[in-house]
Amino acid sequence: MLENLKQRVYKMNMMLPKNNLVTMTSGNVSGRDPETNLVVIKPSGVLYDEMTPDDMVVVDLDGNVVEGKLKPSVDTATHLYVYRHRNDVNGIVHTHSPYATSFAALGRSIPVYLTAIADEFGCAIPVGPYAKIGGEEIGKAIVDYIGESPAILMKNHGVFTIGNSPEAALKAAVMVEDTAKTVHLSLLLGTPDVIPDEEVKRAHERYLTKYGQ
Amino acid sequence: MLENLKQRVYKMNMMLPKNNLVTMTSGNVSGRDPETNLVVIKPSGVLYDEMTPDDMVVVDLDGNVVEGKLKPSVDTATHLYVYRHRNDVNGIVHTHSPYATSFAALGRSIPVYLTAIADEFGCAIPVGPYAKIGGEEIGKAIVDYIGESPAILMKNHGVFTIGNSPEAALKAAVMVEDTAKTVHLSLLLGTPDVIPDEEVKRAHERYLTKYGQ
Amino acid sequence: MLENLKQRVYKMNMMLPKNNLVTMTSGNVSGRDPETNLVVIKPSGVLYDEMTPDDMVVVDLDGNVVEGKLKPSVDTATHLYVYRHRNDVNGIVHTHSPYATSFAALGRSIPVYLTAIADEFGCAIPVGPYAKIGGEEIGKAIVDYIGESPAILMKNHGVFTIGNSPEAALKAAVMVEDTAKTVHLSLLLGTPDVIPDEEVKRAHERYLTKYGQ
Amino acid sequence: MLENLKQRVYKMNMMLPKNNLVTMTSGNVSGRDPETNLVVIKPSGVLYDEMTPDDMVVVDLDGNVVEGKLKPSVDTATHLYVYRHRNDVNGIVHTHSPYATSFAALGRSIPVYLTAIADEFGCAIPVGPYAKIGGEEIGKAIVDYIGESPAILMKNHGVFTIGNSPEAALKAAVMVEDTAKTVHLSLLLGTPDVIPDEEVKRAHERYLTKYGQ
């Protein structure tokens, strides 16, 4: 079932090591099928190199395994909480990518210091509180703190990104690490001027309407 | 039309991910045909892995698409402004490469701390003001602030490089990131002595006349 | 003899350059066969690219070469001391991976600033004193200072990790560098809150019992 | 002529991009044939990807091209000065590798903070003064300041390493960047204790006599 979504979620999971966002078995991507509300997610603790599309696990929004021979990610309850409370979200990515997580460790948000942040995120990248892994606590924190942003930093932990597809959430995960690295490097030399809110809004709308094909 | 230039511009665009200067669809390279004044440029928002030479877009200096099935880069107006005001420029590269952009974010130029900067750039790497993406504003800032340098840092944004060919502009884009990284690492430990102007001039002239085949 | 263990130890040695934990011939992995107490270890000073499973050296716990045409690693006495004093250990990894070694150089332990440290290590990553390479001195320091942790930083030197298999020790070596990098980046911007001991214990136990297949 | 040495020098030049020590056409390796005193060196300004063993240039100790269709490296006079004044040297490497060059930019030597520095170098990595590229000035500074070390940092410039073979000089070039990176990362967090001279001497002698096959 959901063969196409399994292929897409598998492919986006494989983009995590390709973009150096994960180590060993860390990180995961899920995708929701908008018609059935079923969710396809990475299995728990499997090496990326050894993973196949068939290893993806299908769960319903209550966490029951509908199909799959492996256990789903330990972050499944987190993903499902977000899907239940955000109808606009059909893809979620979780990583411990190092530069973004260096801000997360400190519980520190990333201001709009770069046009790339204005374009991709449209606002400062917010930070959520420390929350326990494995239950709904992180999911609730994401929903409470992420606002309009497609990315959030979780204190002492890592990064979660959301999108209307697994591909959109993956792009946000790549871009949060990319911009976090540049901002980190800048902060070692000084403090950039923040781009004013009005200009951030203008730039983000231009990006959403004019960029791409 | 312009099949050879399309191949060259395509190849230089592919050098951006190969040299770790871009992420996802960011960055772009263009080239001008000196005989017809037509410009070949990367399409907007296309993944490098999926791009072919045929996807390159041909525009005239006023921005009219002359050939191409895709929309040109959102930075096209920037490139065209530079080509119209700098007859010596036949190649332009734009990136958000992280070390160079960490200086750009701060609106901070890079002094001649290294023989490699004297050789390649012949002067400090200048910085331009914040300017809006998508129109001619950035093009005007480049022309006003770049001077004799083949590279400029744009505040809160990234890097633009120019050259008498796409290949020369690409080399400048690679070298600005390379030298920006080394200078950044140095500044975390101290402040290097600046190489004196006279010596920079001598070294740059030697490099232009003696280096290479 | 021990063909299967030789293959496994070879494979884990090759994971060191694949994960960017070693340079040239530095670093090594060994594995103990629990039935015979024989140890398979990397030969001394051989380039990873030129190494084969047959180059692995088999030694007994007293350091006598039982099989192998090459000299074993100069760290063999260190590995053997640990195997003799820790019956639970069947795999050991040694690297100079740069971020972890930057803490080791300073004789500085890594606190539990990240959920990944709580999950993988269950405690702060301890640091041992300076000890001479080549004899049992480092082995004794590891046994004396490592406690419950699977990883230890040796002052002015590098990293040793242990596990109940070569694969487990390798995972610890990858994760100590990964978390050391993120912690290092955080410390350049501020000081993270330490995750409280009770929560570290809970998270580590959850990880050991719930994570993976 | 000297086909074997050309192959070896070519191979060591190709190790520079493989180990991320060079960018575009920067850097070079040479080797001396001890019997004829002829030197094989990289051609000037050629991309590594496009270079073949046949492109290596053979020069005598006075800089006359004995064989080769391309111009030799602009650093040839530097290499030859060192060969004429150091009979023990049969291989030289030059790079701008970023971490080592960040110390070079500052005119700052690298103390023996790590066992890897004691083992490979046997002393602090020295620094030489600013010297003009292209003539014998750098060669003289290397000979005057390098002492017993196989590596030297040249102020505002980069790294030169020497050895009794191109392979030995290449290993020194890789290890100077590797240890410079770890020391740099340490210095951002604190100041390591220097390993005492007596212990450095003991460790270096052990490494020279016990390490490897």
Side-chain angles (χ1 to χ4, degrees), chain A residues 23-25 43-45 49 70-71 74 98-99 101-103 105-106 108 130 132-133 155-157 184 188, chain C residues 18 113-115 119 171 174-175 178 182 185-186 188-193 199 202 206 210-213:
Chain A
T23 307
M24 299 298 288
T25 63
S44 179
D49 280 354
L70 298 174
K71 277 168 56 187
V74 292
Y99 282 95
T101 301
S102 77
F103 287 90
L106 293 159
R108 181 167 169 172
Y130 181 83
K132 292 178 184 173
I133 297 173
K155 186 164 178 278
N156 295 113
H157 184 178
H184 188 283
L188 299 187
Chain C
K18 195 182 172 196
Y113 288 143
L114 299 169
T115 54
D119 285 357
K171 189 182 183 193
V174 174
M175 294 311 296
D178 182 62
T182 302
L185 295 173
S186 281
L188 299 187
L189 300 181
T191 305
D193 292 336
E199 173 61 5
R202 186 202 63 77
R206 182 201 61 81
K210 300 283 176 62
Y211 190 83
Q213 299 298 325

Side-chain angles (χ1 to χ4, degrees), chain A:
Chain A
M1 63 192 303
L2 300 175
E3 293 305 319
N4 182 260
L5 185 58
K6 275 193 235 169
Q7 283 283 351
R8 288 168 58 204
V9 169
Y10 167 75
K11 190 177 168 190
M12 289 305 108
N13 271 293
M14 295 309 286
M15 292 294 276
L16 299 180
K18 194 182 173 195
N19 286 280
N20 300 311
L21 302 179
V22 294
T23 307
M24 299 298 288
T25 63
S26 78
N28 45 69
V29 179
S30 74
R32 160 157 69 175
D33 176 50
E35 292 191 24
T36 61
N37 257 329
L38 294 175
V39 170
V40 174
I41 193 165
K42 176 172 170 273
S44 179
V46 173
L47 288 166
Y48 288 90
D49 280 354
E50 302 176 356
M51 204 164 67
T52 69
D54 274 350
D55 292 334
M56 299 299 107
V57 184
V58 182
V59 296
D60 66 22
L61 286 186
D62 298 319
N64 302 302
V65 173
V66 176
E67 190 191 71
K69 53 189 181 301
L70 298 174
K71 277 168 56 187
S73 164
V74 292
D75 297 313
T76 299
T78 297
H79 289 235
L80 297 180
Y81 186 96
V82 176
Y83 286 126
R84 286 202 308 275
H85 293 78
R86 286 281 300 256
N87 286 325
D88 58 323
V89 173
N90 291 312
I92 299 174
V93 175
H94 172 47
T95 81
H96 301 163
S97 65
Y99 282 95
T101 301
S102 77
F103 287 90
L106 293 159
R108 181 167 169 172
S109 70
I110 301 178
V112 188
Y113 288 143
L114 300 169
T115 54
I117 298 175
D119 285 357
E120 295 286 343
F121 301 102
C123 58
I125 300 166
V127 64
Y130 181 83
K132 292 178 184 173
I133 297 173
E136 297 194 341
E137 211 176 299
I138 296 179
K140 186 172 186 323
I142 295 172
V143 170
D144 289 350
Y145 289 86
I146 199 166
E148 296 294 308
S149 169
I152 186 169
L153 311 170
M154 293 301 295
K155 186 164 178 278
N156 295 113
H157 184 178
V159 184
F160 284 85
T161 62
I162 60 177
N164 62 12
S165 67
E167 291 80 7
L170 188 277
K171 189 182 184 193
V174 175
M175 295 311 296
V176 74
E177 180 64 5
D178 183 62
T179 52
K181 178 175 180 177
T182 301
V183 168
H184 188 283
L185 295 174
S186 281
L187 289 171
L188 299 187
L189 300 182
T191 305
D193 292 336
V194 173
I195 300 176
D197 286 351
E198 274 305 293
E199 173 61 6
V200 170
K201 194 178 167 189
R202 187 202 63 76
H204 186 57
E205 286 178 8
R206 182 200 62 81
Y207 186 75
L208 293 180
T209 56
K210 300 281 176 61
Y211 190 83
Q213 300 297 324

